[in-house]
Short mmCIF file of all heavy atoms in Angstrom, two decimals:
data_model
loop_
_atom_site.label_atom_id
_atom_site.label_comp_id
_atom_site.label_asym_id
_atom_site.label_seq_id
_atom_site.Cartn_x
_atom_site.Cartn_y
_atom_site.Cartn_z
N TRP A 79 1.29 -7.03 7.52
CA TRP A 79 0.23 -6.02 7.94
C TRP A 79 0.36 -4.61 7.46
O TRP A 79 -0.55 -3.93 7.10
CB TRP A 79 0.09 -6.03 9.54
CG TRP A 79 -0.39 -7.25 10.09
CD1 TRP A 79 -0.79 -8.41 9.47
CD2 TRP A 79 -0.61 -7.54 11.46
NE1 TRP A 79 -1.15 -9.31 10.28
CE2 TRP A 79 -1.05 -8.84 11.61
CE3 TRP A 79 -0.40 -6.81 12.61
CZ2 TRP A 79 -1.36 -9.39 12.84
CZ3 TRP A 79 -0.63 -7.39 13.91
CH2 TRP A 79 -1.16 -8.71 13.93
N PHE A 80 1.55 -4.10 7.48
CA PHE A 80 1.80 -2.64 7.21
C PHE A 80 2.79 -2.59 5.96
O PHE A 80 3.73 -1.75 6.05
CB PHE A 80 2.23 -1.91 8.30
CG PHE A 80 1.22 -1.83 9.44
CD1 PHE A 80 1.41 -2.77 10.52
CD2 PHE A 80 0.13 -1.05 9.34
CE1 PHE A 80 0.47 -2.71 11.56
CE2 PHE A 80 -0.83 -1.14 10.32
CZ PHE A 80 -0.63 -1.93 11.46
N THR A 81 2.94 -3.58 5.12
CA THR A 81 3.97 -3.70 4.14
C THR A 81 3.80 -2.85 2.91
O THR A 81 4.74 -2.24 2.35
CB THR A 81 4.20 -5.14 3.62
OG1 THR A 81 4.51 -5.91 4.80
CG2 THR A 81 5.28 -5.24 2.63
N PHE A 82 2.59 -2.55 2.48
CA PHE A 82 2.36 -1.88 1.31
C PHE A 82 1.13 -0.96 1.39
O PHE A 82 0.11 -1.28 1.93
CB PHE A 82 2.12 -2.91 0.16
CG PHE A 82 1.06 -3.88 0.40
CD1 PHE A 82 -0.27 -3.75 0.13
CD2 PHE A 82 1.38 -5.01 1.27
CE1 PHE A 82 -1.25 -4.59 0.39
CE2 PHE A 82 0.32 -5.98 1.56
CZ PHE A 82 -0.83 -5.79 1.11
N PRO A 83 1.11 0.06 0.62
CA PRO A 83 -0.02 0.91 0.46
C PRO A 83 -0.91 0.37 -0.56
O PRO A 83 -0.38 -0.24 -1.53
CB PRO A 83 0.51 2.27 0.06
CG PRO A 83 1.80 1.91 -0.59
CD PRO A 83 2.25 0.70 0.09
N ARG A 84 -2.25 0.74 -0.51
CA ARG A 84 -3.13 0.20 -1.59
C ARG A 84 -3.83 1.41 -2.22
O ARG A 84 -4.23 2.42 -1.55
CB ARG A 84 -4.20 -0.71 -0.93
CG ARG A 84 -3.59 -2.02 -0.64
CD ARG A 84 -4.72 -2.98 -0.25
NE ARG A 84 -4.17 -4.35 0.01
CZ ARG A 84 -3.51 -4.60 1.10
NH1 ARG A 84 -3.30 -3.74 1.97
NH2 ARG A 84 -3.09 -5.89 1.25
N ARG A 85 -4.13 1.18 -3.44
CA ARG A 85 -4.67 2.27 -4.14
C ARG A 85 -6.12 1.82 -4.53
O ARG A 85 -6.39 0.63 -5.00
CB ARG A 85 -3.98 2.56 -5.51
CG ARG A 85 -4.49 3.61 -6.35
CD ARG A 85 -3.62 3.91 -7.48
NE ARG A 85 -3.55 2.67 -8.45
CZ ARG A 85 -2.60 2.55 -9.29
NH1 ARG A 85 -1.78 3.48 -9.54
NH2 ARG A 85 -2.58 1.39 -10.03
N GLY A 86 -7.13 2.61 -4.33
CA GLY A 86 -8.55 2.26 -4.60
C GLY A 86 -9.19 1.49 -3.54
O GLY A 86 -9.44 2.03 -2.43
N ASP A 87 -9.42 0.23 -3.65
CA ASP A 87 -10.04 -0.62 -2.72
C ASP A 87 -9.28 -0.70 -1.44
O ASP A 87 -8.01 -0.80 -1.40
CB ASP A 87 -10.33 -2.03 -3.28
CG ASP A 87 -11.15 -1.95 -4.48
OD1 ASP A 87 -12.47 -2.06 -4.41
OD2 ASP A 87 -10.55 -1.92 -5.62
N THR A 88 -10.07 -0.75 -0.35
CA THR A 88 -9.45 -0.99 1.05
C THR A 88 -9.82 -2.36 1.43
O THR A 88 -10.93 -2.67 1.65
CB THR A 88 -9.80 0.04 2.06
OG1 THR A 88 -9.60 1.34 1.44
CG2 THR A 88 -9.27 -0.15 3.36
N PRO A 89 -8.81 -3.18 1.84
CA PRO A 89 -9.18 -4.52 2.26
C PRO A 89 -9.62 -4.48 3.68
O PRO A 89 -9.30 -3.64 4.46
CB PRO A 89 -7.80 -5.30 2.16
CG PRO A 89 -6.72 -4.25 2.32
CD PRO A 89 -7.36 -2.97 1.68
N HIS A 90 -10.41 -5.50 4.04
CA HIS A 90 -11.00 -5.63 5.42
C HIS A 90 -10.18 -6.65 6.14
O HIS A 90 -9.88 -7.74 5.50
CB HIS A 90 -12.45 -6.00 5.38
CG HIS A 90 -13.26 -4.92 4.60
ND1 HIS A 90 -13.61 -3.68 5.15
CD2 HIS A 90 -13.75 -4.86 3.43
CE1 HIS A 90 -14.29 -2.97 4.32
NE2 HIS A 90 -14.47 -3.67 3.31
N LEU A 91 -10.07 -6.50 7.47
CA LEU A 91 -9.36 -7.49 8.30
C LEU A 91 -10.46 -8.39 8.85
O LEU A 91 -11.60 -8.10 9.11
CB LEU A 91 -8.63 -6.83 9.48
CG LEU A 91 -7.43 -5.80 9.06
CD1 LEU A 91 -6.85 -5.35 10.26
CD2 LEU A 91 -6.53 -6.52 8.16
N ARG A 92 -9.99 -9.67 8.99
CA ARG A 92 -10.94 -10.64 9.45
C ARG A 92 -10.60 -11.17 10.90
O ARG A 92 -9.43 -11.49 11.18
CB ARG A 92 -10.87 -11.82 8.46
CG ARG A 92 -11.68 -13.06 8.93
CD ARG A 92 -11.57 -14.13 7.85
NE ARG A 92 -12.19 -13.75 6.66
CZ ARG A 92 -12.16 -14.51 5.59
NH1 ARG A 92 -11.71 -15.57 5.43
NH2 ARG A 92 -12.76 -13.96 4.44
N ASP A 93 -11.53 -11.15 11.75
CA ASP A 93 -11.55 -11.73 13.04
C ASP A 93 -10.42 -11.12 13.92
O ASP A 93 -9.89 -11.78 14.90
CB ASP A 93 -11.21 -13.24 12.95
CG ASP A 93 -12.43 -14.01 12.20
OD1 ASP A 93 -13.58 -13.40 12.37
OD2 ASP A 93 -12.17 -15.01 11.63
N GLY A 94 -9.99 -9.89 13.61
CA GLY A 94 -8.92 -9.30 14.56
C GLY A 94 -7.55 -9.95 14.38
O GLY A 94 -6.74 -9.73 15.19
N THR A 95 -7.42 -10.81 13.39
CA THR A 95 -6.12 -11.62 13.35
C THR A 95 -5.10 -10.83 12.60
O THR A 95 -3.81 -11.19 12.66
CB THR A 95 -6.30 -12.92 12.74
OG1 THR A 95 -6.72 -12.73 11.39
CG2 THR A 95 -7.31 -13.78 13.40
N GLY A 96 -5.39 -9.79 11.91
CA GLY A 96 -4.44 -9.02 11.00
C GLY A 96 -4.24 -9.61 9.66
O GLY A 96 -3.59 -9.17 8.90
N ARG A 97 -4.98 -10.77 9.36
CA ARG A 97 -4.82 -11.39 7.98
C ARG A 97 -5.73 -10.78 7.11
O ARG A 97 -6.88 -10.44 7.41
CB ARG A 97 -5.04 -12.88 8.14
CG ARG A 97 -4.07 -13.64 8.81
CD ARG A 97 -4.43 -15.13 8.90
NE ARG A 97 -5.63 -15.28 9.69
CZ ARG A 97 -6.31 -16.39 9.92
NH1 ARG A 97 -5.81 -17.51 9.46
NH2 ARG A 97 -7.43 -16.38 10.63
N LEU A 98 -5.33 -10.43 5.90
CA LEU A 98 -6.26 -9.79 4.90
C LEU A 98 -7.33 -10.89 4.49
O LEU A 98 -7.15 -11.97 4.46
CB LEU A 98 -5.49 -9.36 3.65
CG LEU A 98 -4.39 -8.34 3.87
CD1 LEU A 98 -3.68 -8.08 2.60
CD2 LEU A 98 -5.14 -7.07 4.27
#
Side-chain angles (χ1 to χ4, degrees):
W79 289 2
F80 301 102
T81 299
F82 53 93
R84 285 185 176 81
R85 183 176 58 192
D87 299 270
T88 301
H90 300 284
L91 299 181
R92 175 177 293 173
D93 300 331
T95 62
R97 293 176 299 179
L98 292 176

